Amino acid sequence: MRKPERYRRFLEYFTTHFPAPETELHYANPYELIVAVVLSAQCTDKRVNQIMPALIQQFPTPAHLAAASAEEVFPFIRSVSYPNNKAKHLAGLGKMLVEDFGSEVPSTIEELQRLPGVGRKTANVVVSVIYNQPAMAVDTHVFRVSHRLGLVSRTATTPLAVEKELVRYIPEELIPKAHHWLILHGRYICVARTPKCSSCPLTDFCQYYATQVAPVLDTEKPVSRLKSPKKSDI
């Protein structure tokens, strides 16, 4: 199957069945979202959502966060991955938001990446979710699912390479949604260790299913044994 056909089927399925996907991170404004996304690096959205209410109650604005030290932030995020580094990132992020951006979350990838703890993936999430820009954030789920479905080539071995291929084939207006489609599909169906192919609606065009799963299923099908002929048939 040619790549454009895979994309056509991928987009057709999700635009029909999940026309309005959303991030599972809880947030009320751009400031809360960027804090949540920084915390979500190598951590589950569920865990981040659990700690965000107390964190935001203590530091409700960039100014409050800017006035805090990493040591003051740490107790509120101790249960996430790499809490020491993230506490330092958040304290620095608050200061830079206040001093360089007037307490507003910037709307460009280049400016966002100046903030402590904000890499290209985080920046893409913010501009996509908040500003609805055609940015594709590539995390482990997006990377895995896009390869398994055959949406990107095997030579796309870095997040940036995957990002470039995806945005090349997906219409601009659908890129923000496609980011969520790939993440959610990877989180609940196309999981890392044992993908749930038996309940996946995309197997008819999935490259992984065609090359890795279907051949195994074919070999496991029972083969009917030939019966010995009766004497009367000889």
Side-chain angles (χ1 to χ4, degrees), residues 89-140:
H89 291 328
L90 290 182
L93 182 147
K95 289 180 175 63
M96 187 172 286
L97 283 178
V98 171
E99 295 173 1
D100 294 7
F101 299 104
S103 294
E104 298 292 330
V105 174
S107 60
T108 69
I109 292 174
E110 293 72 24
E111 288 179 318
L112 284 164
Q113 288 186 97
R114 290 174 52 195
L115 296 167
V118 178
R120 185 174 182 85
K121 185 197 76 173
T122 299
N124 278 342
V125 170
V126 173
V127 299
S128 172
V129 173
I130 296 296
Y131 302 112
N132 201 36
Q133 295 181 20
M136 174 61 70
V138 178
D139 66 356
T140 56

Side-chain angles (χ1 to χ4, degrees), residues 53-84:
L55 179 67
I56 294 302
Q57 184 177 12
Q58 185 69 22
F59 310 108
T61 68
H64 289 86
L65 191 59
S69 66
E71 291 73 21
E72 291 172 316
V73 174
F74 178 84
F76 295 91
I77 67 168
R78 65 169 66 248
S79 63
V80 303
S81 58
Y82 308 105
N84 288 301

Side-chain angles (χ1 to χ4, degrees), residues 5 19 32 50 73 107 113 129 152-153 183 186 194 222:
E5 176 64 10
E32 291 185 14
Q50 288 173 344
V73 174
S107 60
Q113 288 186 97
V129 173
V152 299
S153 59
I183 285 179
T194 309

Side-chain angles (χ1 to χ4, degrees), residues 36 38 60 64 99 159 214 224 227:
V38 168
H64 289 86
E99 295 173 1
S224 59
K227 295 182 179 179

